[in-house]
Amino acid sequence: MAAKPAPASEGAAPPRHVAIIMDGNGRWAKKRLLPRIAGHKQGVEAVRRISRAARKLGIEVLTLYAFSSENWRRPEEEVRDLMGLLRHFLASELDELVSEGVKLRIIGAWRKLSPDLVAMIDGAVARTANNPGPTLVIALNYGAQAELAEAARVLAEKAKAGEIDPAAIDEALFQDALDTGDLPPLDLLIRTSGEQRLSNFLLWQAAYAEFLFVDTLWPDFDEKALTEALDQYGRRQRRFGGL
């Protein structure tokens, strides 16, 4: 069962779990009169940069919103390019993740992706499964509403089979049925590019997370920006409904 967060009376303790909605690749490219794929390529560079920075700054879990279940509505060519960049990222970064002791996790309906990509992800996750270090979580074909519906379905099936008492289903049991059930509670959720919405990302997990919306476009987000975000988080008081 995932641990519950504890209130902090004087500011916030350092975040264990940080999630980022990586937004602004297209606008970054448009500002430079470049094709959207150029923005996505720079976005991948930002993933590398922030993944390394998070490890340096002691973040235990970094969750990145890479591809939502709604992103299939984008032009077919752009979706194909994004999947190609994902393949490239896995191939080029896996050795470093292994050597750095990083555990790779994928959440979402990623098994609905193409079979070759699913096999590639399976191999990457397996290679890092026993790593002792921080966890990099990538949300692929992810939608929080679908995650909640799936958790409800799983618990309903268990109740129907007599494995659990329906009366025993509470917040903790429901949380354990989520993709992130064994991870630390979400402390800080950052969205880049100036947009201020969750876009169907970690709706349950964000219940008591601190939100930070920054104007920086994702390809320009760097260690300095992440450090500033952590500094802002550290000045907040998290009471979780208490005084």
Side-chain angles (χ1 to χ4, degrees):
M1 182 182 299
K4 291 184 178 179
S9 57
E10 294 295 334
R16 297 177 64 197
H17 186 175
V18 176
I20 305 178
I21 300 174
M22 306 179 293
D23 195 14
N25 292 348
R27 274 165 283 176
W28 185 94
K30 185 176 181 180
K31 284 175 62 176
R32 291 160 176 79
L33 303 179
L34 296 171
R36 287 179 63 85
I37 184 60
H40 293 312
K41 287 180 178 177
Q42 289 302 311
V44 171
E45 291 302 315
V47 169
R48 292 192 180 97
R49 190 165 59 236
I50 294 305
S51 177
R52 292 166 183 165
R55 299 198 293 270
K56 178 180 176 181
L57 295 168
I59 295 171
E60 185 177 333
V61 178
L62 176 66
T63 299
L64 302 176
Y65 201 9
F67 191 87
S68 79
S69 52
E70 289 77 31
N71 285 157
W72 294 108
R73 300 170 186 167
R74 295 187 177 189
E76 183 178 345
E77 181 180 2
E78 182 172 350
V79 171
R80 187 169 59 249
D81 287 341
L82 288 169
M83 294 302 155
L85 288 172
L86 173 60
R87 289 182 177 88
H88 177 72
F89 176 81
L90 291 172
S92 62
E93 296 301 302
L94 185 55
D95 286 344
E96 179 175 322
L97 295 180
V98 171
S99 66
E100 291 288 320
V102 178
K103 182 178 294 185
L104 179 65
R105 284 276 300 274
I106 310 295
I107 62 173
W110 58 274
R111 290 197 175 277
K112 294 182 180 179
L113 301 177
S114 63
D116 68 306
L117 187 50
V118 170
M120 194 174 189
I121 293 170
D122 272 331
V125 169
R127 274 194 68 189
T128 66
N130 296 319
N131 284 355
T135 300
L136 174 62
V137 183
I138 299 179
L140 286 175
N141 196 21
Y142 174 88
Q145 291 175 332
E147 180 190 24
L148 294 171
E150 176 64 12
R153 187 195 65 75
V154 167
L155 293 174
E157 292 282 353
K158 288 183 176 181
K160 182 179 179 181
E163 298 175 22
I164 58 173
D165 181 353
I169 299 175
D170 57 10
E171 292 94 333
L173 197 60
F174 194 90
Q175 177 175 292
D176 286 346
L178 298 174
D179 290 350
T180 58
D182 61 336
L183 296 175
L186 180 61
D187 295 310
L188 173 63
L189 191 150
I190 302 167
R191 180 169 187 149
T192 60
S193 88
E195 301 292 345
Q196 298 186 16
R197 57 181 178 272
L198 291 181
S199 295
N200 200 18
F201 184 52
L202 300 181
L203 298 180
W204 174 282
Q205 297 87 339
Y208 276 103
E210 294 294 317
F211 292 0
L212 183 61
F213 302 105
V214 299
D215 291 333
T216 307
L217 300 176
W218 174 245
D220 293 327
F221 200 76
D222 55 15
E223 182 177 338
K224 181 176 182 290
L226 180 59
T227 301
E228 290 174 352
L230 298 189
D231 287 344
Q232 285 198 45
Y233 171 85
R235 292 193 294 271
R236 298 186 183 183
Q237 292 188 354
R238 305 183 73 197
R239 297 187 178 91
F240 301 98
L243 297 178

